[in-house]
Amino acid sequence: MKNKIIFNGQSIVLTWMISYIVILLLPVVIGLLLYMESNKTLKDEIQQANDSLLKQVREVMDNQFKAMEQLNFEITWNVNMQELLYSNKYETFPKEYRYDISQIARNLSMYKTSYPLIDSFYIYLYKDQSVILPTTVRPSSFAYQTLHMSDEFSFSAWQEIMTRPNFKGFIPMTRIGDDNMLRKTVAYISTYPVEHNQPLATNVIMVDQSRLLGVIQNMEIFNKGHVFILNNENQILASNSAHALPSDFPYDKLANTPNFYFSGADHEKYEVFNIQSPLSKLKYVSIMPSTIYWQKAAHIRNLTYMSMAISLLGGGILTFFFLRRNYNPVRRLVHAFSKKMTYASGERYNEFHFIQEAVDSTLLEMADFKSKMEQQRHMVRSHFIEKLLKGKLDRHMPIAEALTTFDMKLDRKDFAVMLFVVDKSSPFFGRITHTSDEDKWKLLQFIIMNVVEELTSKRHRGYATEIDDSLACLVNLTLEKDTNGKEELLRIAEETQRFLSATYDIHLTISISSIHEKISKVPEAFLEALDSMAYKLVMGGREILAYDDLQANRPCEPASGYYYPVQVEQQFLYAVKSGELEDAKSILAEIMNKNFEIRGISVSLTKCLILGLVTTMMKSISETGDIQESFFIRNPKLVDRLLSSITVPEMNLYLNEMLEQVCAYTSAKRQAAISQTRQKALQQLVDEISMYIENNYSDANLNVTMIGSHFDRKATYLSKLFKDYVGEGLLDRINKVRIDKSKQLLKSQEQSVGDAANGVGFNDINAFIRVFKKVEGITPGKYKELIEK
């Protein structure tokens, strides 16, 4: 018996054992936490130190790499280089090609002085397979022999790099130094845009790895690790290690993980730290052996493990001794009661909690049964009230018997129905968190029904229920002499509104039926309350509305329908189409006033009027431009929101908002049309001026003033207009046209410089020479000599 009780899963023995073990493990856990915290602190310090050193390396390296990119930028956008690659001048003057290449080589020598930290750079030209170096130009094969030739870096490999299309980045290379020794270098390769599937040229800028290793060596001294600088293709650009990264190194982790653990194929374990450069997109990786990383924490770890072992051994012995000693009295008691009692199932229970659990289980079952009965009774009563209001009671079941069953008393002769619709509940819902919307709505209904029933029951009898997405209350009035039943109903409604608004921030719309003297008239009263609520929601008005007041104040339906004659529609259409917002709003206000303030129309006619107004606005969009471009198509919810509104004030608000957007659209379209017409007229004038210059360039009197007189405009205005549209002044255009025509004349053997000057409208040959040199960069005589050669 003793063994069975001890090994029972619910026995007090297990509870005591767990308690002792928890007490025993407390110092062990504290020691473990201290070890983990110290280990974490040490790890953070090492990580911060490595991260700081890596950032220093990145800062120095990025400055070096930035200088390489800056030099590449200056070479790429050099005026002579751009002219060499993209100008068509060599089709006319092919002999100037070699002259321009030599000029670029001389320019590169100046860059060499400006960038002393860059060891070597050159430009590879694909067109003639040549290499431009500072001060010289060499064929590609000879350049390879003097710059890169080695067994590890073949000529074909070099050419493949030079002809890679659309490539820009850093790669590792080797180069031959001034001492004819091979050196490892970092090369920045940048190809010019591709033409006919081949790059035009490639810039190569190199910095020897020996310049980069100084900063990396400082980090090696600190953590005894290896530092690598990798490009986008994970090629090693520089390293303080003679060995490459392991073949199974997880390069994919470098993009998202700043530091991680790695175990190589040689069973060596490493701690990896890495950062990326935001400027050059390079990766800086530090790999440190784990033995060095954890060497400082080994002593703390050993002490922690030793203290844990001593605590567990001593605590286990004491736990067994006290557990056996304390359980003996309990074991004897359980042995005595187990002979007289049997459990409900074969499973054993905790000795102290057996009776308590039995009693608690019985009480919970009774409470649950009572709660279910009450819920069922409430649901059935609500269903009965709903059928009573709708006149759908079972005729075979007497009403008196049903009222007795549901503990309802309707023994007074006066009956009325009140309907409640929630207008505003968002503040109430905002107070309740961690609850579904359905549960929030049920809670709100529960509060409203309880408040209504309590306020009604002070003098009368009231029974509330949920019916068709609203709440209804059947009121059995207890009217004394000289008591007005309608005033009593209004008082109950006002008290309900005030209390719910002040206490729960719930706002209601309440409708009240007429008072009927028989219970059989309850369905009629319910229909009256529904009619009042529907009219109030559509037409607007007070928050409490009695059916009797509605019948007395409801306006008669006008025989002629609603007010929206054709002439008013035309005025409204013109104002909207013209973008005249204030006039359109004034006409809309007049239409709404005459239909609702003066005449009063039904709900159906109201919707017809709203549709007519929206149709007019859509007509204005259609006549102004493509309706597919309008917000009616881009924002269909605007019309849906208007059609789903239920009150006249709400409709009026949405109509005005829509009117503002339509007028803004039509006004913008109108302004765009005016601007487009003006732009076309100005462009035509510019074209006519250009044609006039082409036709009269030989006239010596042609100038800005003459052009202004011809077009009957001020000369300054025409000059500014021409410069804004064409990008050059009128005088510059005249000189450019004359020089272009003079070049055609100079190509003829019979034409001298003087003849060419007279032929294009220059009376003074010196003025012609000065303008020609300004436009072309050389004198007309020199130009004629080049042509004749």
Side-chain angles (χ1 to χ4, degrees):
M1 186 66 186
K2 174 181 177 182
N3 292 336
K4 290 182 179 179
I5 294 175
I6 289 179
F7 290 100
N8 173 26
Q10 298 292 332
S11 175
I12 190 64
V13 174
L14 181 60
T15 304
W16 284 351
M17 184 179 294
I18 293 174
S19 301
Y20 290 151
I21 291 175
V22 170
I23 296 173
L24 172 63
L25 291 178
L26 181 60
V28 176
V29 171
I30 293 175
L32 183 61
L33 291 175
L34 290 175
Y35 166 71
M36 293 174 62
E37 188 64 26
S38 61
N39 180 52
K40 180 182 177 182
T41 302
L42 182 60
K43 182 178 179 180
D44 289 343
E45 289 179 356
I46 296 175
Q47 289 179 353
Q48 290 176 5
N50 279 277
D51 185 66
S52 177
L53 286 173
L54 272 180
K55 287 180 178 178
Q56 292 179 14
V57 172
R58 181 182 67 182
E59 183 177 358
V60 176
M61 295 299 99
D62 278 358
N63 290 335
Q64 183 67 55
F65 295 142
K66 184 177 180 182
M68 297 171 72
E69 293 179 345
Q70 180 65 30
L71 176 57
N72 174 71
F73 177 84
E74 293 187 17
I75 294 174
T76 301
W77 294 103
N78 183 277
V79 175
N80 295 333
M81 192 65 194
Q82 290 289 316
E83 185 179 27
L84 178 71
L85 296 179
Y86 302 106
S87 174
N88 296 324
K89 63 181 285 187
Y90 303 113
E91 296 177 2
T92 307
F93 309 106
K95 296 181 179 180
E96 288 192 12
Y97 182 80
R98 290 299 172 185
Y99 171 80
D100 290 346
I101 290 179
S102 62
Q103 183 65 31
I104 293 172
R106 287 192 293 272
N107 291 340
L108 292 184
S109 63
M110 294 188 296
Y111 293 136
K112 187 175 183 67
T113 305
S114 301
Y115 292 88
L117 297 180
I118 293 176
D119 296 293
S120 178
F121 59 92
Y122 58 85
I123 304 171
Y124 176 90
L125 296 179
Y126 180 84
K127 179 178 180 181
D128 54 355
Q129 298 290 305
S130 62
V131 174
I132 305 176
L133 293 163
T135 69
T136 185
V137 180
R138 295 176 179 174
S140 60
S141 58
F142 183 71
Y144 165 76
Q145 294 175 3
T146 57
L147 292 174
H148 298 289
M149 187 173 68
S150 66
D151 296 334
E152 299 176 356
F153 191 37
S154 65
F155 178 75
S156 59
W158 176 70
Q159 277 201 319
E160 182 181 357
I161 294 174
M162 295 299 102
T163 57
R164 290 176 67 177
N166 298 323
F167 178 78
K168 181 177 291 186
F170 297 89
I171 63 171
M173 291 178 65
T174 58
R175 79 176 188 91
I176 301 174
D178 296 335
D179 54 357
N180 292 325
M181 299 295 293
L182 278 176
R183 299 179 181 179
K184 292 183 178 180
T185 184
V186 177
Y188 182 76
I189 308 297
S190 176
T191 61
Y192 289 78
V194 173
E195 187 171 291
H196 304 298
N197 295 325
Q198 291 293 342
L200 297 175
T202 302
N203 292 341
V204 180
I205 302 169
M206 295 176 287
V207 174
D208 292 345
Q209 288 189 13
S210 58
R211 289 185 181 273
L212 309 178
L213 294 180
V215 178
I216 299 177
Q217 294 296 338
N218 293 334
M219 192 165 183
E220 180 184 12
I221 294 173
F222 172 78
N223 58 18
K224 304 297 186 295
H226 306 299
V227 181
F228 299 87
I229 303 177
L230 308 179
N231 62 8
N232 290 338
E233 299 175 359
N234 294 320
Q235 294 176 315
I236 299 175
L237 300 179
S239 172
N240 63 346
S241 173
H243 303 286
L245 288 170
S247 58
D248 57 343
F249 185 82
Y251 292 99
D252 54 336
K253 289 187 178 181
L254 296 178
N256 302 315
T257 310
N259 57 285
F260 58 90
Y261 171 84
F262 169 66
S263 179
D266 56 353
H267 304 293
E268 181 68 25
K269 299 176 182 178
Y270 299 94
E271 296 290 333
V272 182
F273 303 86
N274 81 94
I275 58 175
Q276 295 192 10
S277 171
L279 300 177
S280 57
K281 306 301 181 182
L282 301 180
K283 308 180 191 74
Y284 297 85
V285 182
S286 172
I287 300 180
M288 180 170 57
S290 295
T291 53
I292 298 175
Y293 186 88
W294 290 107
Q295 187 176 9
K296 299 178 181 179
H299 183 64
I300 298 175
R301 182 177 65 246
N302 294 335
L303 290 178
T304 303
Y305 289 163
M306 186 180 298
S307 62
M308 289 181 183
I310 294 173
S311 298
L312 289 174
L313 179 61
I317 296 172
L318 293 175
T319 297
F320 177 79
F321 173 78
F322 285 109
L323 182 62
R324 183 170 182 175
R325 179 178 178 181
N326 294 335
Y327 184 74
N328 282 333
V330 178
R331 180 186 61 78
R332 289 193 292 267
L333 288 174
V334 172
H335 181 69
F337 281 107
S338 63
K339 295 179 180 179
K340 300 178 180 180
M341 297 179 62
T342 57
Y343 295 120
S345 64
E347 182 182 5
R348 296 230 179 234
Y349 292 87
N350 180 281
E351 293 85 348
F352 294 151
H353 295 161
F354 175 70
I355 297 176
Q356 179 182 354
E357 289 180 358
V359 173
D360 289 345
S361 177
T362 303
L363 293 177
L364 288 174
E365 289 178 0
M366 291 179 63
D368 184 60
F369 177 76
K370 184 177 180 181
S371 174
K372 290 181 179 179
M373 288 294 295
E374 187 63 27
Q375 291 178 3
Q376 187 69 18
R377 179 175 173 275
H378 178 75
M379 292 174 60
V380 175
R381 191 182 82 164
S382 297
H383 187 63
F384 169 75
I385 297 173
E386 180 180 354
K387 284 191 172 184
L388 177 61
L389 292 174
K390 293 184 176 182
K392 297 181 180 180
L393 286 177
D394 189 357
R395 296 181 180 179
H396 301 288
M397 181 178 180
I399 294 180
E401 183 177 342
L403 294 176
T404 302
T405 302
F406 299 121
D407 194 19
M408 297 173 61
K409 292 183 179 180
L410 300 175
D411 52 356
R412 302 292 187 266
K413 68 175 183 176
D414 296 319
F415 295 89
V417 176
M418 302 174 67
L419 278 182
F420 305 87
V421 173
V422 179
D423 287 336
K424 182 180 177 183
S425 59
S426 54
F428 171 77
F429 287 159
R431 299 177 184 176
I432 306 173
T433 58
H434 308 295
T435 306
S436 64
D437 293 339
E438 182 180 357
D439 292 338
K440 291 179 181 180
W441 181 249
K442 289 181 179 179
L443 176 61
L444 182 141
Q445 291 178 332
F446 175 78
I447 292 172
I448 294 175
M449 288 192 293
N450 277 273
V451 170
V452 171
E453 289 183 354
E454 182 176 352
L455 293 177
T456 304
S457 300
K458 289 181 179 179
R459 299 182 186 179
H460 315 282
R461 294 189 177 95
Y463 303 97
T465 185
E466 178 186 1
I467 180 170
D468 298 335
D469 296 329
S470 61
L471 299 175
C473 182
L474 174 62
V475 182
N476 188 203
L477 295 164
T478 302
L479 298 178
E480 300 178 355
K481 189 177 181 180
D482 300 330
T483 302
N484 189 310
K486 176 184 174 183
E487 293 180 356
E488 281 292 303
L489 294 173
L490 291 173
R491 179 189 60 80
I492 295 172
E494 291 173 356
E495 288 184 4
T496 302
Q497 281 187 336
R498 284 197 301 270
F499 180 80
L500 290 175
S501 176
T503 307
Y504 298 102
D505 208 357
I506 299 174
H507 302 272
L508 301 176
T509 294
I510 304 175
S511 63
I512 302 171
S513 71
S514 300
I515 298 175
H516 298 268
E517 295 184 353
K518 294 181 180 180
I519 193 173
S520 60
K521 297 291 185 178
V522 168
E524 183 178 344
F526 175 65
L527 293 177
E528 291 174 356
L530 280 177
D531 186 47
S532 301
M533 183 63 71
Y535 187 84
K536 194 271 175 192
L537 288 176
V538 175
M539 303 306 294
R542 296 169 294 171
E543 294 182 351
I544 300 175
L545 185 62
Y547 181 77
D548 295 337
D549 297 336
L550 174 64
Q551 293 300 109
N553 298 327
R554 177 177 293 180
C556 296
E557 186 71 37
S560 60
Y562 57 82
Y563 171 80
Y564 193 38
V566 175
Q567 60 271 22
V568 174
E569 182 182 7
Q570 291 298 324
Q571 294 174 4
F572 186 54
L573 177 63
Y574 178 77
V576 175
K577 186 168 64 174
S578 302
E580 301 293 339
L581 179 60
E582 296 302 326
D583 293 344
K585 280 189 173 182
S586 176
I587 296 172
L588 178 61
E590 179 185 0
I591 295 171
M592 300 298 287
N593 180 62
K594 288 188 177 182
N595 280 286
F596 299 104
E597 299 295 333
I598 300 176
R599 298 159 60 92
I601 60 176
S602 65
V603 175
S604 58
L605 289 180
T606 298
K607 293 183 178 180
C608 291
L609 173 63
I610 298 303
L611 287 174
L613 292 171
V614 174
T615 302
T616 302
M617 284 189 250
M618 295 184 73
K619 285 181 181 179
S620 68
I621 294 289
S622 179
E623 294 182 9
T624 303
D626 187 3
I627 194 171
Q628 297 295 329
E629 299 177 358
S630 71
F631 60 89
F632 284 111
I633 302 301
R634 296 194 303 268
N635 302 303
K637 292 185 178 179
L638 290 174
V639 180
D640 295 341
R641 185 179 64 173
L642 175 62
L643 296 179
S644 63
S645 57
I646 57 176
T647 65
V648 172
E650 190 177 5
M651 294 177 184
N652 192 22
L653 174 63
Y654 292 155
L655 274 173
N656 277 277
E657 289 181 0
M658 187 179 295
L659 183 61
E660 291 178 0
Q661 296 186 47
V662 172
C663 287
Y665 171 80
T666 56
S667 178
K669 291 289 287 185
R670 184 181 179 187
Q671 293 297 326
I674 295 173
S675 177
Q676 186 176 6
T677 302
R678 183 174 179 273
Q679 290 292 331
K680 288 182 178 179
L682 293 177
Q683 184 61 46
Q684 182 179 358
L685 178 59
V686 169
D687 293 340
E688 291 177 357
I689 293 172
S690 299
M691 183 60 66
Y692 182 78
I693 294 172
E694 288 286 340
N695 295 333
N696 296 275
Y697 68 90
S698 60
D699 189 348
N701 296 321
L702 179 64
N703 54 27
V704 177
T705 305
M706 179 179 172
I707 295 174
S709 299
H710 177 77
F711 288 96
D712 197 18
R713 298 281 202 285
K714 289 184 177 180
T716 54
Y717 167 75
L718 285 182
S719 181
K720 184 178 184 303
L721 172 66
F722 196 86
K723 187 168 186 178
D724 290 341
Y725 273 80
V726 181
E728 62 181 354
L730 274 177
L731 184 58
D732 293 336
R733 171 55 69 88
I734 294 171
N735 289 334
K736 184 177 180 181
V737 171
R738 285 175 167 173
I739 296 305
D740 288 342
K741 299 297 182 180
S742 70
K743 287 165 63 178
Q744 298 176 9
L745 295 175
L746 289 173
K747 291 179 181 179
S748 173
Q749 295 288 342
E750 295 110 7
Q751 293 287 339
S752 65
V753 174
D755 295 336
N758 293 328
V760 295
F762 282 95
N763 292 329
D764 185 1
I765 189 172
N766 293 325
F768 170 67
I769 294 172
R770 184 172 62 254
V771 173
F772 192 98
K773 186 174 183 180
K774 179 180 179 183
V775 175
E776 295 297 324
I778 59 176
T779 63
K782 182 67 174 177
Y783 178 79
K784 186 171 180 63
E785 290 177 8
L786 292 174
I787 293 174
E788 292 174 352
K789 288 181 181 180

